Amino acid sequence: MTITSFNPLIVTKDAEATVRLFEALGFEKRHNPTGTSAVGNEYTSYRMTDANGFHVDVSTTTAPMKQDLTGIRMNVDDFDEAYDFLIAHGFTSGQNGTVTDTGSAKACILFSPSGFAISLIQHIKDHD
């Protein structure tokens, strides 16, 4: 398994305000995936990048949330291997063991034994 990107992730009910904050810090929206998770929650995400190449992801979801969630987005080249690795290290699935598969990406959120989150993603390429 190779990690292909690794950056902060903020899941919030007020994505617009959070996006505006990071825009004021010099970040620009680069990618805006939307969809439905494997457990039926709608989501909208914003991949943001600054002039130095730093990334932050801001997402919103219809899933019930008590407060904002701060975690790590980890893109990998082998989702199953990374998932098994994290589970073996005590992580639990935040999607009841289901994986969101959009055809172009596989993803799920996992929680460490101490509570921090990793949004695990593999982008599926239809070419070599």
Side-chain angles (χ1 to χ4, degrees), residues 6 12 15 18 27-28 34 47 49-51 53-54 60 63 75 84 89 94 99 103-104 126:
F6 195 86
T12 179
T18 305
F27 285 78
E28 296 179 9
T34 62
R47 176 89 167 144
T49 307
D50 77 353
F54 293 114
T60 189
N75 285 27
D84 291 344
H89 282 83
V99 172
S104 63
D126 60 359

Side-chain angles (χ1 to χ4, degrees), residues 92-113:
T92 56
S93 171
Q95 296 180 183
N96 301 319
T98 61
V99 172
T100 301
D101 188 341
T102 65
S104 63
K106 289 172 69 173
C108 75
I109 193 159
L110 298 153
F111 293 95
S112 75

Side-chain angles (χ1 to χ4, degrees), residues 6-122:
F6 195 86
N7 60 267
L9 162 72
I10 301 166
V11 183
T12 179
K13 289 297 183 187
D14 193 359
E16 290 180 21
T18 305
V19 165
R20 282 193 306 271
L21 168 68
F22 281 94
E23 286 174 331
L25 290 168
F27 285 78
E28 296 179 9
K29 291 185 263 186
R30 296 289 184 196
H31 185 53
N32 180 222
T34 62
T36 304
S37 74
V39 294
N41 296 315
E42 301 294 320
Y43 64 86
T44 300
S45 294
Y46 300 93
R47 176 89 167 144
M48 302 184 75
T49 307
D50 77 353
N52 297 308
F54 293 114
H55 301 282
V56 63
D57 287 11
V58 178
S59 297
T60 189
T61 178
T62 58
M65 294 175 51
K66 293 180 185 176
Q67 61 192 38
D68 287 359
L69 170 80
T70 306
I72 300 165
R73 171 185 168 150
M74 186 169 83
N75 285 27
V76 295
D77 67 343
D78 187 328
F79 181 90
D80 296 328
E81 183 181 0
Y83 182 91
D84 291 344
F85 176 88
L86 293 170
I87 294 295
H89 282 83
F91 281 73
T92 56
S93 171
Q95 296 180 183
N96 301 319
T98 61
V99 172
T100 301
D101 188 341
T102 65
S104 63
K106 289 172 69 173
C108 75
I109 193 159
L110 298 153
F111 293 95
S112 75
S114 65
F116 72 86
I118 291 183
S119 178
L120 181 63
I121 302 170
Q122 177 187 358

